Amino acid sequence: MAVYDHETIETKWQKVWDESGIYHSDEDPAKKKFYSLEMFPYPSGRLHMGHVRNYSIGDVVSRYLRMNGWNVLHPMGWDAFGLPAENAAIQNRIPPKQWTWENIDYMRAQLKRLGFSYDWRREVATCHPDYYRWTQWIFTRCYEKGLVYKKRSWVNWCPNCQTVLANEQVVQGACERCDTTVTKKALAQWFFRITEYADRLLDNLEKLPGWPERVKTMQRNWIGRSEGAQIRFPIKGSQRSLAVFTTRPDTIFGVTYMVMAPEHDWVDELITGAPNEAEIRSFIDRVASQDEITRTAEDRDKEGIFTGRYCINPMTGEEIPIYLGDYVLAGYGTGAIMAVPAHDERDFAFARKYEIPVRVVIVQEGGARDGASMTEAYTGEGRMINSNEFDGLPSEEAWGRIAQAIEEKGVGQREVNFRLRDWLISRQRYWGVPIPIVYCDTCGTVPVPADKLPVHLPEDVEFMPSGRSPLVDLESFVKTTCPQCGGAATRETDTMDTFVDSSWYFLRYCDPQNTGAPFAKENADYWMGVDQYIGGIEHAILHLMYARFFTMVLHDLGLTSVEEPFENLLTQGMVLKDGAKMSKSKGNVVDPGQIIEKYGADTARLFILFAAPPERDLEWSDAGVEGSYRFLNRVNRLVLELAPQLREAASDSNAFGELSEADRNLRRQVHTSLKRVTEDVGRRMQFNTAISAVMELVNGIYAYKDQGEEAQNPAVLKEALELTITMLAPFAPHLSEELWHEMGHQTSVHLESWPTYDEGATVVDEVAIVVQVNGKVRDRLTVAVDTDEESLGRLALELPRVQEFVSGKSVRKVITVPGRLVNVVVG
């Protein structure tokens, strides 16, 4: 089989597109805009098939809309800071900057080799000072607005490496570098006050009808809005009160113990001098080595220890023992809970384990009233008991009455709480954005002013095997002068979480060369919000939540008019092989480069779009790749065979002349396919069915051609070929461009207007009718589509094959289903 030279064709047209700037986009108020964006990659060194799928989806959307007259912004960049670069520096003695930029160069070449229609003038890399200068500027603006603060927080600590570890650096409770057991340590950390936007982040989800409901549900659960009361329990023998938040103030009379997080700020004060202090501290150390997921797992046996101290229940005056428990975390709520074992499964299991009393305060009809006899907690509603003046009330009513009583006694107040916690952005690592803060003995904590930004990440650093950030020991970086008083000062050596970089990159694309601001408001207002955002479901929480938060903040700072960054969101499925996600560890990775080399970029793109709907997982198939390659070769052969005789032929409707039945059938298939592709791509984003329609059309053109040249209508055939090429252009851009020029055109197919289907041509004039006798198929009729029932019956009875089975018998009735069948019932 003759195959087309994909490498020559693809290289040729990529060069032409690049030199002509065919995909450049600039603001044009006279044109309707469309911002098409895929989540930008981390430059790890090689593209994988997940990248190819993500970017191919975005490229089809961009090309299709550009052909439909939209001014399309379709940029690409690099999420370039992060831990892997540091690991490479330690392992291979390669500076992180060198490792990162070499990877960017390689991956950029891969993307260009795939022919994606990016405006490369707008490329950004988060590790470039021109970008992170503005990340730092946004940080300082947020600091001035009170949205950034520093406080002590518990972090993962490796005693051997003497460094803080991110969660991803902790593997089964041990340091990934040295396998030492990781502990918890309290360090001063920087936070964004995202909780101030919790209500807005939650409420605005209703303004995002173009987002998958699954993603919105995940964000709602992560934000975790709950109504309840914060109640203060005085600590016996102390001036302090232990604050707890509960969604069930109606159960306060059932509290039989309190639980504090082992890392709670007051624990050391409470346990000092306790008879079992050594045992308590041993328990605290043991819990400190456990990660949060393990500690809060539902099916895990909970552990605790009595501190020897008591609280006072403010509603009863009763002394309540205070325990430390591994299932309570300092970062959640207040870091302490009131335990009501009769009405909470977790508290019930803990109480039974440590022989703590269980007191029932809500009872259902026929339910247990004695906690000692309970085998499980009752968590529903009912009537109040053991609750003083509230006895007998329905628990729903008691909720409000008890909350009011708590407020009247001055021991608490009703409030709304959120599961969402403030965003910890400090990283004790090198390869990240330096936090633009200096510390001065005279002026205190001072943000670096805008005219002194960026705070450059120094390059003359040495990485130690311990993993400790080299910034800490780099005197030329640490020692500086105070921007306020000019005195000696020291720099903050923490860098920012890389999620900060990716929380506003889509805005920088709107104005990437701006040296006076992160972006001009008028540019952002023209392009934003992103009309179609495409990326993996794994980013449903953190990245998408942080990007929404940043956009709201920048809106409030007057920098942009939009509150939400992404109008529509598509979360594409994974690429699987042998039923599992592709990964090096499983040995099931398919290298896109090898596919491109053997079959071409168009084949790789076509297969990845044809194999499954975009939102579903895709099972890799070598046979499927071969099939896509064969199809493109069929299209190539068809056009090369027919183009010489059709280049000069007219293809407008005036040139069709008298149409034969074969002509009408081909035109019907052409325009029916065009209608289907238009709807599947433009409205439904179902690329697999669109490609299928084009494949069926190519089969139809081959069948028409095979009638022989004397039966062909050149105008009809030219129309069919040109519309096929046009429909294929968003999916296989290189071959389509080549074949478009083979048909005699001088301009790019990608600058053509998307064709409008001829509704009249899609109308079926005739229809095949199945004819049955007593339910068995005996013949077929071809009739006009509007033939009435009486005529259908008459025509069916006139058929010779039908008469054979009717002869000598009485016709009892003739059943007709217009457009489908006739059934003659005989006796």
Side-chain angles (χ1 to χ4, degrees):
M1 178 182 71
V3 296
Y4 76 100
D5 185 353
H6 57 79
E7 184 173 359
T8 299
I9 289 173
E10 291 172 359
T11 303
K12 165 188 168 182
W13 288 113
Q14 286 162 16
K15 184 173 186 291
V16 171
W17 297 337
D18 187 49
E19 291 175 351
S20 65
I22 187 175
Y23 303 124
H24 292 174
S25 50
D26 296 296
E27 297 74 27
D28 184 353
K31 294 183 70 175
K32 53 186 180 180
K33 71 87 183 179
F34 193 95
Y35 190 169
S36 176
L37 183 64
E38 306 96 56
M39 294 179 184
F40 67 169
Y42 180 78
S44 56
R46 298 289 186 273
L47 292 179
H48 54 67
M49 278 300 171
H51 288 129
V52 176
R53 189 181 195 194
N54 187 4
Y55 308 146
S56 295
I57 292 169
D59 200 53
V60 168
V61 171
S62 301
R63 290 179 180 279
Y64 172 80
L65 288 167
R66 201 176 282 115
M67 294 174 77
N68 275 274
W70 293 79
N71 188 19
V72 177
L73 174 61
H74 189 209
M76 177 49 68
W78 313 97
D79 191 9
F81 276 130
L83 188 60
E86 289 190 48
N87 288 339
I90 294 168
Q91 295 166 9
N92 305 317
R93 296 291 179 180
I94 299 174
K97 179 180 177 180
Q98 176 187 335
W99 184 85
T100 301
W101 283 106
E102 286 176 356
N103 287 346
I104 286 174
D105 290 342
Y106 188 89
M107 291 177 70
R108 185 194 302 109
Q110 285 185 298
L111 291 174
K112 288 188 173 183
R113 182 64 185 85
L114 280 157
F116 295 128
S117 59
Y118 296 126
D119 183 351
W120 285 105
R121 300 174 307 161
R122 295 177 180 267
E123 178 183 7
V124 301
T126 60
C127 67
H128 196 288
D130 287 348
Y131 183 90
Y132 71 70
R133 168 191 180 183
W134 299 113
T135 302
Q136 293 172 339
W137 183 87
I138 293 169
F139 175 96
T140 59
R141 291 295 304 274
C142 290
Y143 181 85
E144 292 164 4
K145 292 289 184 181
L147 292 173
V148 174
Y149 66 94
K150 192 174 189 181
K151 73 168 186 178
R152 289 177 66 79
S153 178
W154 291 89
V155 295
N156 302 312
W157 179 259
C158 175
N160 182 55
C161 296
Q162 291 291 294
T163 189
V164 172
L165 304 178
N167 288 334
E168 60 265 29
Q169 294 173 283
V170 181
V171 180
Q172 295 182 339
C175 173
E176 69 170 0
R177 291 195 182 105
C178 67
D179 209 32
T180 300
T181 298
V182 173
T183 62
K184 292 288 185 179
K185 184 174 183 178
L187 288 180
Q189 304 278 281
W190 285 97
F191 291 83
F192 273 115
R193 210 180 295 274
I194 192 173
T195 51
E196 284 201 7
Y197 283 74
D199 271 319
R200 200 156 148 198
L201 288 165
L202 185 62
D203 294 343
N204 268 23
L205 289 172
E206 302 304 318
K207 301 177 183 179
L208 299 173
W211 280 41
E213 196 57 41
R214 176 187 177 193
V215 174
K216 291 195 285 187
T217 297
M218 293 169 73
Q219 291 215 355
R220 288 188 191 103
N221 293 339
W222 189 261
I223 296 168
R225 187 182 192 276
S226 55
E227 295 184 11
Q230 187 172 114
I231 309 170
R232 294 180 291 278
F233 288 70
I235 298 174
K236 184 180 178 183
S238 170
Q239 296 300 308
R240 296 189 184 277
S241 290
L242 192 59
V244 302
F245 174 82
T246 177
T247 60
R248 297 295 304 268
D250 52 326
T251 65
I252 190 169
F253 291 91
V255 176
T256 57
Y257 66 100
M258 309 290 286
V259 186
M260 296 174 67
E263 63 271 23
H264 193 290
D265 288 343
W266 301 348
V267 165
D268 189 67
E269 176 185 326
L270 288 179
I271 67 173
T272 298
N276 61 338
E277 180 180 349
E279 184 184 1
I280 296 172
R281 292 193 183 281
S282 176
F283 170 78
I284 292 171
D285 290 341
R286 188 167 75 255
V287 173
S289 67
Q290 300 168 356
D291 62 74
E292 292 186 4
I293 295 174
T294 300
R295 287 173 58 180
T296 57
E298 289 292 332
D299 57 350
R300 180 177 176 273
D301 193 30
K302 311 298 186 287
E303 289 191 76
I305 192 168
F306 179 44
T307 64
R309 303 293 296 270
Y310 292 84
C311 276
I312 306 299
N313 187 324
M315 296 299 289
T316 66
E318 180 183 10
E319 293 186 3
I320 309 293
I322 303 174
Y323 283 74
L324 303 184
D326 61 356
Y327 65 99
V328 178
L329 305 174
Y332 282 93
T334 65
I337 65 165
M338 64 178 214
V340 187
H343 305 294
D344 182 277
E345 288 290 355
R346 186 178 57 177
D347 297 345
F348 182 84
F350 191 92
R352 286 290 187 248
K353 179 174 182 177
Y354 293 103
E355 299 180 348
I356 302 170
V358 176
R359 181 183 303 138
V360 179
V361 293
I362 300 174
V363 64
Q364 62 177 333
E365 188 72 30
R369 303 174 71 90
D370 177 17
S373 65
M374 296 180 75
T375 57
E376 61 180 6
Y378 173 64
T379 59
E381 305 295 342
R383 293 279 174 179
M384 303 299 298
I385 63 172
N386 299 323
S387 299
N388 295 349
E389 70 268 30
F390 304 102
D391 282 357
L393 289 176
S395 55
E396 301 97 318
E397 181 181 345
W399 194 106
R401 296 270 293 273
I402 292 174
Q404 182 178 350
I406 288 168
E407 289 180 327
E408 289 173 351
K409 288 175 68 74
V411 295
Q413 62 282 329
R414 277 175 277 205
E415 64 178 40
V416 174
N417 201 6
F418 294 91
R419 180 178 181 271
L420 180 70
R421 292 180 288 175
D422 279 342
W423 176 11
L424 190 160
I425 66 157
S426 290
R427 295 295 181 266
Q428 291 71 34
R429 304 199 289 254
Y430 163 72
W431 191 239
V433 179
I435 293 177
I437 292 289
V438 300
Y439 302 102
C440 172
D441 290 340
T442 303
C443 304
T445 301
V446 181
V448 177
D451 62 353
K452 300 295 184 183
L453 296 176
V455 175
H456 282 276
L457 186 67
E459 298 178 23
D460 55 336
V461 297
E462 182 179 355
F463 280 86
M464 306 302 291
S466 70
R468 176 182 168 94
S469 170
L471 293 178
V472 176
D473 303 311
L474 190 63
E475 188 173 305
S476 60
F477 177 78
V478 175
K479 290 188 175 182
T480 186
T481 56
C482 175
Q484 289 186 3
C485 70
T490 59
R491 288 196 190 280
E492 172 63 72
T493 57
D494 284 356
T495 55
M496 295 187 207
D497 177 12
T498 56
F499 276 116
V500 177
D501 307 321
S502 59
S503 292
W504 72 281
Y505 77 105
F506 42 88
L507 283 156
R508 183 63 175 175
Y509 280 145
C510 298
D511 193 14
Q513 275 79 50
N514 196 320
T515 58
F519 47 87
K521 185 175 184 296
E522 58 268 24
N523 290 41
D525 285 351
Y526 176 79
W527 290 114
M528 291 293 293
V530 174
D531 295 280
Q532 183 63 65
Y533 198 37
I534 303 167
I537 191 70
E538 66 271 17
H539 300 294
I541 299 296
L542 299 183
H543 164 59
L544 288 172
M545 186 82 75
Y546 295 150
R548 294 181 62 217
F549 165 64
F550 252 55
T551 305
M552 290 175 185
V553 170
L554 294 172
H555 169 272
D556 293 349
L557 291 172
L559 296 175
T560 178
S561 296
V562 298
E563 276 194 319
E564 288 289 343
F566 313 122
E567 294 288 332
N568 297 285
L569 174 68
L570 171 66
T571 52
Q572 89 278 358
M574 294 187 297
V575 180
L576 311 176
K577 193 167 192 297
D578 303 323
K581 181 180 178 181
M582 287 188 182
S583 71
K584 292 179 181 178
S585 62
K586 291 186 175 70
N588 64 347
V589 172
V590 175
D591 183 359
Q594 294 177 356
I595 300 298
I596 295 168
E597 182 179 346
K598 185 174 181 180
Y599 300 107
D602 283 347
T603 295
R605 295 163 55 120
L606 192 74
F607 166 74
I608 213 100
L609 293 166
F610 177 61
E615 71 277 3
R616 296 190 184 170
D617 291 345
L618 179 157
E619 179 67 36
W620 181 265
S621 165
D622 293 333
V625 176
E626 287 277 0
S628 296
Y629 184 56
R630 285 197 302 271
F631 167 69
L632 291 179
N633 275 286
R634 289 192 78 217
V635 176
N636 183 64
R637 289 198 308 275
L638 182 67
V639 175
L640 293 187
E641 177 185 344
L642 297 174
Q645 69 196 55
L646 296 177
R647 287 190 191 114
E648 303 305 320
S651 59
D652 60 276
S653 58
N654 294 326
F656 291 157
E658 176 117 16
L659 297 177
S660 68
E661 182 179 347
D663 296 337
R664 287 194 299 272
N665 288 339
L666 180 58
R667 291 203 75 238
R668 183 180 303 116
Q669 187 173 8
V670 167
H671 287 275
T672 300
S673 299
L674 177 56
K675 180 179 181 180
R676 185 172 159 192
V677 172
T678 300
E679 292 175 348
D680 285 351
V681 176
R683 297 178 192 170
R684 301 170 56 236
M685 293 185 69
Q686 295 297 297
F687 309 123
N688 57 318
T689 54
I691 293 169
S692 178
V694 179
M695 289 177 170
E696 292 169 11
L697 174 57
V698 170
N699 289 337
I701 298 174
Y702 263 101
Y704 179 86
K705 174 186 75 74
D706 290 343
Q707 298 176 109
E709 191 171 337
E710 67 284 351
Q712 297 171 9
N713 183 323
V716 169
L717 192 53
K718 184 174 184 179
E719 178 195 47
L721 285 182
E722 291 192 336
L723 288 179
T724 298
I725 294 168
T726 306
M727 284 186 271
L728 197 57
F731 304 102
H734 307 90
L735 181 60
S736 299
E737 188 78 287
E738 178 74 11
L739 298 181
W740 188 249
H741 282 74
E742 285 288 341
M743 291 295 294
H745 296 281
Q746 300 302 311
T747 57
S748 171
V749 68
H750 302 295
L751 296 179
E752 289 294 308
S753 294
W754 187 260
T756 302
Y757 57 85
D758 182 348
E759 190 72 59
T762 66
V763 175
V764 178
D765 297 324
E766 294 181 330
V767 63
I769 303 292
V770 173
V771 181
Q772 301 174 334
V773 178
N774 287 350
K776 294 185 177 180
V777 177
R778 299 305 184 187
D779 208 340
R780 283 174 171 79
L781 273 173
T782 300
V783 297
V785 73
D786 58 354
T787 304
D788 60 62
E789 293 186 35
E790 183 181 346
S791 298
L792 276 177
R794 177 176 52 78
L795 291 168
L797 288 169
E798 291 174 357
L799 291 169
R801 283 281 294 160
V802 172
Q803 289 180 1
E804 288 179 23
F805 293 94
V806 171
S807 179
K809 299 175 184 175
S810 61
V811 177
R812 293 184 175 177
K813 58 181 172 179
V814 178
I815 302 168
T816 60
V817 181
R820 293 184 58 191
L821 66 83
V822 176
N823 184 25
V824 181
V825 181
V826 298

